[in-house]
Amino acid sequence: MYKVMIVEDDVKIRTMIGVFLKKWNFESMIVETFDQVDKLVLLEKPNILLMDINLPSFDGFYWCERIRKQQYTVLDRLKSHGHFLSISLFLNHFL
């Protein structure tokens, strides 16, 4: 089972994504604090990282840059446009 880390500050959106992932048999891990995202990625080692760009403290671009420097994972941009079509197309590559 693939582990997906969700970095999203909107509770409703991250909950919906978690429910959606569960239906596709992905294990989801929801980040609720946004001050040490890079350390959580290293600790939890998710297979997939879904990150919002507009986060409190530091934005998603900042965290992507930090994570890339650790050379842990390949990051790609994902824009859902308010629906889950883009997410489902993206995750379909892992099934």
Side-chain angles (χ1 to χ4, degrees):
M1 180 180 292
Y2 287 100
K3 188 187 319 184
V4 181
M5 182 178 278
I6 304 167
V7 184
E8 167 63 61
D9 60 327
D10 185 308
V11 175
K12 187 175 179 180
I13 292 173
R14 69 181 180 220
T15 302
M16 288 174 35
I17 292 172
V19 169
F20 177 78
L21 291 172
K22 187 174 183 179
K23 288 181 184 178
W24 281 63
N25 294 319
F26 286 91
E27 177 187 346
S28 64
M29 178 183 333
I30 296 176
V31 174
E32 296 180 352
T33 59
F34 308 100
D35 56 346
Q36 295 186 350
V37 173
D38 56 339
K39 289 182 174 71
L40 284 173
V41 170
L42 282 176
L43 179 68
E44 298 294 338
K45 297 178 177 46
N47 301 104
I48 304 169
L49 178 62
L50 296 177
M51 184 171 321
D52 186 16
I53 297 302
N54 298 314
L55 295 169
S57 304
F58 300 103
D59 64 20
F61 294 117
Y62 171 83
W63 291 119
C64 286
E65 183 180 326
R66 301 238 344 170
I67 292 165
R68 276 195 185 106
K69 286 181 181 177
Q70 296 167 354
Q71 299 180 353
Y72 166 73
T73 186
V74 175
L75 300 172
D76 198 358
R77 289 161 301 285
L78 174 67
K79 178 92 172 140
S80 68
H81 300 289
H83 56 78
F84 292 112
L85 177 61
S86 296
I87 295 172
S88 63
L89 291 173
F90 178 78
L91 293 175
N92 195 36
H93 294 286
F94 292 91
L95 295 177

